[in-house]
Amino acid sequence: MGAGCSSSAPMDTASSGAAAPIGPTRRPGHVFLSYHPPDTGDQRTEGGDGAAVRVRDWLASRGYIQQRPSTSSSAAPGVLVVGKPYVTLRNGTIKLRRNQRVRVTAPGVVLDGVSFLMDQPGGPGGGGSHRQLGGGGGGAGGAEAGFGGAYVTDRGMVELTGAAVGLRIMRTKLYNHAPHAALHLVDGATAALLDCDLESPLGAGAVVSGAGSVFIASGCCLKRCAGPCLLLEGGAAAQLSASSVLDSERHNGVAAGGGARLRADRCVVSGSQAGINLYAGASAELVGCEVSGNVLAGAEVREPGSVLLAADTKFARNGQVALSYNGQAGVLVTERATARLATCSADGNKLSGIVVWGAGTAAAAVDCKLLQNAGAGLALRDGAAAELRRCTVKLNRAGGAEVAGKGSVLTTDRESVVDPKPTLVAGGVHAFLQEDKGRKGRG
């Protein structure tokens, strides 16, 4: 019933004839811990408590981890530190109290089929209250309270520091029930997730902070988070593929600031406040994604240097009645940010398909469709600029396009269809592209 080890470190017998393990610092070798039904007996529920204890004790007895005491008086060792490289944990459950964490500080660690489960409030070690914490746009190392929900961004249930590069997490469930993040990467740490589920009903999902920190997820589901399901700050980067970001009901699904970068392919972002929120010079590239059913905008892009690039992406209905529309605009661009869309659609939103607001703010769309929105298909305000090429804007309740305010300019080519023609208010301008300069309207 003890921990099984399917692969051992090489043995050194040269010096004394007695077998002695060679440490990973001399010749790294993977350590495998495998758990099967006979190992856990009647306790087995995704591994069971017995497996959690054996993982900890087995690694500690061989010097691969350190157990650091918690500052709280209500519980046992608070931080489980995996500090030696090339450790593989396979098939088990690690159960944590709310003041306990797992910290990886070494490269090459693999988690395969391991579940991290945290006690719910009121359970053992629950201690403390879920405080309402003040904050703004969401900076790493602090806390945030937007739309009424609080979450902490300077720690996580599973933490990776800068030396923890190349962490691989496969077929793993992370269920966090505390105000901190479920997964926390800082200072150049990198992690790649495959077929994983992450839930954080009282905190943020994955928080990635600092230049060189990279979060990669393929076939994963980040859902039911009290904070953003994915928060990127300070030059961090993330790449999502065939993944879902769902039901961050009190916050934005994905929030990226401080020059962070996001790439998403074939992903769904739904059920949050804003689906994707870019600010403070962050950028995102969406390809073949669906951003729909959010309370506010599908994507909100604000502040200088923030850029949204989208191709083959829907900011609209997803075919389910309960999640058919974004509650406001499909795409909202403000405060001198930029958005560029190609072969995208923004349909059925409760305001306009695209809203561009403020001097220095710009949007461009090529081969896009803005249909059946409750507002205008496209709305420009207070000095904003937009360019349409080969686009179709029609069947919108408040008209094709509304261009309002001095300095607001909508430019279209002859192949674009804006029906009815743009409404020009208070100095707004509609112009044709250079090849059509003979046809020009002014308000």
Side-chain angles (χ1 to χ4, degrees):
M1 295 288 290
C5 183
S6 61
S7 178
S8 303
M11 307 302 286
D12 182 7
T13 60
S15 58
S16 63
I22 295 178
T25 55
R26 294 176 58 185
R27 184 176 176 182
H30 278 276
V31 177
F32 295 97
L33 303 182
S34 295
Y35 294 98
H36 306 287
D39 294 322
T40 54
D42 294 338
Q43 297 186 59
R44 188 173 194 270
T45 52
E46 296 186 82
D49 286 316
V53 172
R54 286 195 292 276
V55 167
R56 181 188 64 202
D57 293 346
W58 193 93
L59 287 174
S61 69
R62 285 154 176 79
Y64 277 87
I65 63 168
Q66 300 173 349
Q67 297 180 31
R68 297 182 180 176
S70 171
T71 56
S72 169
S73 60
S74 63
V79 182
L80 183 68
V81 180
V82 180
K84 289 191 177 182
Y86 307 105
V87 175
T88 295
L89 302 184
R90 179 172 292 156
N91 300 336
T93 296
I94 297 179
K95 289 190 175 181
L96 303 168
R97 295 183 173 93
R98 295 183 74 211
N99 59 350
Q100 295 178 319
R101 305 191 297 280
V102 174
R103 181 176 300 154
V104 180
T105 62
V109 174
V110 177
L111 306 175
D112 184 0
V114 179
S115 293
F116 293 87
L117 304 180
M118 178 160 285
D119 286 332
Q120 297 190 19
S129 63
H130 185 202
R131 294 190 297 122
Q132 181 77 7
L133 302 170
E144 177 169 316
F147 315 108
Y151 64 91
V152 177
T153 62
D154 62 352
R155 58 187 181 273
M157 180 179 70
V158 178
E159 301 176 338
L160 282 70
T161 64
V165 295
L167 176 71
R168 289 179 291 161
I169 306 178
M170 300 172 287
R171 296 172 290 278
T172 289
K173 179 180 177 65
L174 296 98
Y175 186 83
N176 173 53
H177 225 297
H180 54 58
L183 183 63
H184 187 238
L185 285 71
V186 294
D187 301 332
T190 64
L193 283 67
L194 174 65
D195 295 335
C196 295
D197 286 337
L198 184 154
E199 295 186 41
S200 189
L202 294 180
V207 174
V208 190
S209 178
S213 297
V214 179
F215 174 85
I216 301 172
S218 178
C220 296
C221 185
L222 286 64
K223 61 184 178 181
R224 294 186 61 232
C225 297
C229 286
L230 177 59
L231 173 62
L232 307 174
E233 281 281 2
Q239 181 172 330
L240 308 180
S241 176
S243 296
S244 298
V245 178
L246 307 174
D247 301 334
S248 180
E249 295 179 351
R250 289 184 286 172
H251 283 277
N252 304 314
V254 177
R261 305 179 310 281
L262 169 70
R263 161 87 185 201
D265 297 275
R266 296 169 288 116
C267 293
V268 174
V269 182
S270 182
S272 302
Q273 293 290 317
I276 297 172
N277 185 357
L278 306 178
Y279 57 93
S283 62
E285 183 177 349
L286 312 180
V287 179
C289 295
E290 185 172 309
V291 186
S292 60
N294 298 287
V295 176
L296 302 178
E300 180 179 346
V301 193
R302 58 186 172 90
E303 300 181 349
S306 298
V307 178
L308 171 68
L309 305 176
D312 300 318
T313 292
K314 297 180 180 179
F315 298 91
R317 63 176 60 195
N318 61 10
Q320 298 180 14
V321 174
L323 296 176
S324 294
Y325 307 93
N326 291 298
Q328 293 188 4
V331 178
L332 171 63
V333 192
T334 65
E335 302 175 38
R336 300 174 63 189
T338 301
R340 300 188 182 96
L341 288 71
T343 59
C344 295
S345 62
D347 307 338
N349 298 288
K350 292 186 179 179
L351 291 182
S352 297
I354 301 174
V355 174
V356 191
W357 201 316
T361 306
V366 179
D367 294 316
C368 293
K369 295 181 179 180
L370 314 180
L371 308 174
Q372 296 181 328
N373 296 284
L378 172 66
L380 276 64
R381 297 283 189 278
D382 300 338
E387 179 181 296
L388 303 181
R389 292 177 180 266
R390 301 186 301 277
C391 292
T392 301
V393 187
K394 62 182 182 179
L395 304 177
N396 298 284
R397 188 175 301 175
E402 182 177 307
V403 187
K406 184 177 181 180
S408 295
V409 178
L410 169 63
T411 306
T412 61
D413 68 347
R414 69 177 69 185
E415 297 181 60
S416 292
V417 176
V418 182
D419 183 22
K421 66 180 183 179
T423 300
L424 309 178
V425 180
V429 173
H430 174 217
F432 289 93
L433 292 174
Q434 188 67 26
E435 59 267 27
D436 297 328
K437 62 182 180 180
R439 299 159 56 194
K440 188 174 183 181
R442 292 184 180 272

